[in-house]
């Protein structure tokens, strides 16, 4: 479904991605872990053509997106649902308007069909009944769930999550993790979650990729990763700082 081939990206003289290669099969759920500022969000933006690599290639469903124009990219982005940090809901709109936003804009469904789809996806995230509320009336965890409902409302083939649990308390995080697992199971969507929350990474990814110093340092099943004796992996997954490390 997605193939990333040796992508490199620098901003000024800061080389963020130094040759990143990986691929994801249709229906797979993976997580990408790595230190803050390590380039995880930059990597996700390459997958939807919001950032172009300096070199290397990104293929989505077999198509190279790097040389696409804006109109072609819009078609590719239509395959993706995105839950970005902070959920990014429109505060002036109700929950139902937020969730149905893309469906409404595309004008392919009647208002009644949209209302039905909004109810379905809100039910999936345990929020049916909140349709008329404004985002400001909801807790942080509930806003993330509205963001999740909005991301899946138009039935994307691929879901991208950027730090879905950051800023949430452990219970709200657990709820989001369980819902992400439910969405993957019920919709068979391909999913890529970026996180530095190790508990979350372990639960929602069938494979974990670790981005370290601009490259995929490891690509393993969660149980193997957590048992790893490699010092870099071991320190990262167990949150052990190295006082000699000066770049942090
Ligand atoms: N548009 C941009 N222009 C310049 N530098 C950027 C831009 N986007 C990200 N960066 C830099 O790239 C690095 C990686 O950022 P990011 O991908 O957001 O890290 P992460 O998501 O892993 O925390 C950071 O040093 C950040 O400042
Ligand atoms: Mg980020």
């Amino acid at each position: 479904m997605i193939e990333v081939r040796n992508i490199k990206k620098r901003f000024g003289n800061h080389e963020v991605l130094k040759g990143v290669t990986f691929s994801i099969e249709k229906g797979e759920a993976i997580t990408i872990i790595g230190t803050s500022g390590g380039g995880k969000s930059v990597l996700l933006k390459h997958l939807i053509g919001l950032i172009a690599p300096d070199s290397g290639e990104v293929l989505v469903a077999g198509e190279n997106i790097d040389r696409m124009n804006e109109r072609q990219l819009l078609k590719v982005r239509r395959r993706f649902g995105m839950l970005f940090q902070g959920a990014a809901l429109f505060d002036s709109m109700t929950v139902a308007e937020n969730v149905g936003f893309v469906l409404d804009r595309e004008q392919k469904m009647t208002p009644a069909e949209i209302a039905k789809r909004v109810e379905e996806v809100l039910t999936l995230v345990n929020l049916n009944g909140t349709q008329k509320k404004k985002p400001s009336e909801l807790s942080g965890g509930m806003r993330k769930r509205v963001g999740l409902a909005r991301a899946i409302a138009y039935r994307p083939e691929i879901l991208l999550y950027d730090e879905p649990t950051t800023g949430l308390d452990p219970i709200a995080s657990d709820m989001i993790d369980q819902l992400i697992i439910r969405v993957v199971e019920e919709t068979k969507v391909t999913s890529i979650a970026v996180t530095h929350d190790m508990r979350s990474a372990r639960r929602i990814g069938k494979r974990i990729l670790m981005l370290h110093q601009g490259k995929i340092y490891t690509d393993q099943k969660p149980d193997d990763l957590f048992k790893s004796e490699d010092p870099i992996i071991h320190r990262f997954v167990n949150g052990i700082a190295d006082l000699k490390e000066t770049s942090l």
Side-chain angles (χ1 to χ4, degrees), residues 4 25 78 81 93 95 98 114 122 126 137 158 178 183:
V4 172
E25 302 294 324
R78 183 67 175 73
M93 294 175 11
V95 166
N98 267 287
I114 293 175
L122 283 177
N126 291 346
E137 296 174 69
I158 310 155
Q178 289 191 40
V183 165

Side-chain angles (χ1 to χ4, degrees), residues 11 14 16 35-42:
F11 296 106
H14 180 192
V16 178
T35 46
S36 287
K40 301 183 298 301
S41 297
V42 166

Side-chain angles (χ1 to χ4, degrees), residues 35-42 44-45 85 162-163 194 196:
T35 46
S36 287
K40 301 183 298 301
S41 297
V42 166
L44 275 192
K45 285 176 187 161
Q85 236 161 322
D162 196 352
E163 308 277 2
V194 152
H196 60 244

